[in-house]
Amino acid sequence: MLGRPQFSRTGSFRPENLGPNAMAMIGNLCFTLFVLGVLIFTIIAATYEPEDPLFHPTTKITTFLTSTSNATFKSDNTVTRTGEDFMASNQTAFSTFINITDVDKVSSGDNNQESGTAEGNSTDCEANVDIPIDCRDPDVFHLMMRAAIERFPDIHFYRFGKSVPAPEAWSCDMAWRFRPKEGKTANFYKDYRRFVISRSPNCTLSVVQIGDYHSGVNARKKKRNQTPGFEKRPLKQEEVKSLPVVGEAVNDSLPVVESEGSFSHGKYLMYVGGGDRCKNMNHYLWSFLCALGEAQYLNRTLVMDLSICLSSIYTSSNQDEEGKDFRFYFDFEHLKESASVLDKGQFWTDWNKWQKKDGLNLHLVEDFRVTPMKLSSVNDALIMRKFGTVEPDNYWYRVCEGETESAVRRPWHLIWKSRRLMDIVSGVASRLNWDYDSVHIVRGEKARNKELWPNLDQDTSPNSLLSTLQDKIEDGRNLYIATDEPDQSFFDPLKDKYTTHFLEEYKDLWGENSEWYSEMTKLNNGAPVEFDGYMRVSVDTEVFLRGKKQIETFNDLTKDCKDGINTCSTQSS
């Protein structure tokens, strides 16, 4: 009698079973890895919160807010690049500028006489050489132009204003528009100075003194559309409007709606709430320009809050500070002339006045995933986007992500730096006659952190700086040092080879007796405005960028990486 068949435990390992078993094991392993991957991805997606918009890289933000190099200033989170930074300098590098020969030709043609260098002849003084100078005399005007061109060889002159009388009998004021010869930015600058003129016994006129930057205050009072006294090549109107002009009087008053009809027929967009407040300036602009871009896409007026919160990283109190004005940092005149914007306070005043009477409706949107394309057919007077309290889903810039990114363009060209701040930059550079080299030296916390920056402290020590700079900057040059090192005496050894300069040397440009202080106090309803950390680093950066040679910390002074050890490759990618 045959018994029941006996099965061996090794039967599954018979040669004919190895293939199917191996395939089953691989399948189970792959499925397990898939499930584990999904679980990990779900946890990350649920808990991840980006610190700021720079964690959402796109071609736009890479182009405008970051650098493709290890440069210090260009990608530093404390320095915001704005629209004028991306204008090619050759856009304004007109081949025609005013030089000595142009002035001499005009002088000769007008007066049938030869004019010497920074000297001129006057035939009206024979009776009395003590007769006061007539600033409106063409001879005096041409003399002043020649003197300015000779005095400032490192700038190109594009326009001179007429010479006007100064309070002193032998002085005249004159303004001009110019660009530095080696300028890397598109800006035009305006300066106005006081000229002291003398007349010799043989009636020859000569300029004996040219005042400091912005000393010719009488020349500043001329209307902006007044015909200048001399132009080699008048700028076209569209060129003037499209270029920043530093030094002109700024008109950044709030726009107002002229009548009930114009307000009631308008279409408006407003962003309310959200987590963007008190973030760094890069984050603020990235979100603000999303709102402005959507307003332009929808052909609506953006209702904006001019009151912003300054992040603690820029304040002396190390606390977030409310009540700062957009106009402290950016050129509101250019914005309001180039785009349709209204101040929120003014808007609500008009809305409350005419909303019921004219039946104006509000369309509320509380989900950032409602795209601008879906709102294009809304006819209500006001579209209000209301953002919640959960970050990062309450960041304004989320509206412009995803499919919206291909439709809504951030209008970077509309945001320029405050021309009042840029006037301080121009003042510093002008005192150095636009003839200086610059170096940026990062120390502070980074120099003390040997784990992330093992060489920075030593590489930025005075002895190392002297060794490194000797092959890069000629002895005796004016050297502007932009640095976060609070003790300026630390750099005293550099004075043996260079004439060193720091931002603090020029604090009179924003002090209590300065134009900046006076204008900012008026703008701030009579309350003084602090020259805060963001203003300081902005001016320091812009002065650095106008140096003829620019030496960067992490590009030129040390092999350490800007963001710490082993990060250089990611910075240059």
Side-chain angles (χ1 to χ4, degrees), residues 56-73:
H56 294 267
T58 66
T59 53
K60 295 189 189 73
I61 200 165
T62 300
T63 301
F64 290 109
L65 293 183
T66 64
S67 171
T68 56
S69 71
N70 198 25
T72 307
F73 276 125

Side-chain angles (χ1 to χ4, degrees), residues 98 106 141 145 158-160 226-235:
I98 303 169
V106 173
F141 177 48
M145 283 194 290
Y158 287 92
R159 175 180 295 181
F160 283 98
Q226 185 169 346
T227 303
F230 177 91
E231 293 183 7
K232 171 83 178 285
R233 172 212 184 277
L235 297 179

Side-chain angles (χ1 to χ4, degrees), residues 159 225 233-243:
R159 175 180 295 181
N225 59 354
R233 172 212 184 277
L235 297 179
K236 297 179 181 179
Q237 189 64 25
E238 59 269 21
E239 291 172 342
V240 174
K241 285 187 175 181
S242 65
L243 298 172

Side-chain angles (χ1 to χ4, degrees), residues 350-363:
D350 293 336
W351 178 270
N352 293 332
K353 185 186 303 183
W354 296 315
Q355 184 264 330
K356 289 184 179 180
K357 178 180 178 182
D358 294 339
L360 304 178
N361 296 320
L362 181 155
H363 183 87

Side-chain angles (χ1 to χ4, degrees), residues 510-529:
W510 64 83
E512 293 184 1
N513 296 321
S514 67
E515 293 178 20
W516 180 88
Y517 186 91
S518 174
E519 293 182 4
M520 294 292 280
T521 300
K522 293 177 182 178
L523 182 65
N524 201 37
N525 298 318
V529 176

